[in-house]
Amino acid sequence: MRTALEQGAQAHGFEADLWTLERVGAVVTRETGVMLSKASVWRLLADRPTRMESAAARAAGGRAGAAPERTPMGTNSDDIDD
């Protein structure tokens, strides 16, 4: 599924290159024959490594192309004590 999502939504016949939970679910069904609820699609995306975090954020309604903020050391900025 990672490869299919990395190809972008337009590569799967959607007009805009934006992933939504519904679109990810449709591609999962098309590729595997398994129908997932929106919650299951969210969990599928949330369980992916960092490269898929922006896809999960977009599917949840975040900014297109948005990725979690990271410090130069690769830790989440919320984890740093002031």
Side-chain angles (χ1 to χ4, degrees):
M1 286 311 314
R2 175 182 291 181
T3 302
L5 295 176
E6 287 176 348
Q7 292 171 345
Q10 287 180 324
H12 294 278
F14 299 105
E15 187 174 321
D17 202 17
L18 176 69
W19 286 115
T20 64
L21 294 175
E22 292 84 2
R23 289 178 177 189
V24 173
V27 171
V28 168
T29 300
R30 194 177 316 145
E31 297 287 322
T32 68
V34 176
M35 293 183 70
L36 300 176
S37 68
K38 288 181 186 178
S40 294
V41 171
W42 174 253
R43 283 190 296 273
L44 173 74
L45 295 173
D47 287 342
R48 295 290 181 192
T50 303
R51 291 178 64 189
M52 296 307 298
E53 287 178 5
S54 60
R58 286 193 303 271
R63 284 184 309 142
E69 290 185 28
R70 302 275 181 195
T71 65
M73 297 185 316
T75 58
N76 189 320
S77 59
D78 294 337
D79 295 336
I80 298 175
D81 295 327
D82 291 324

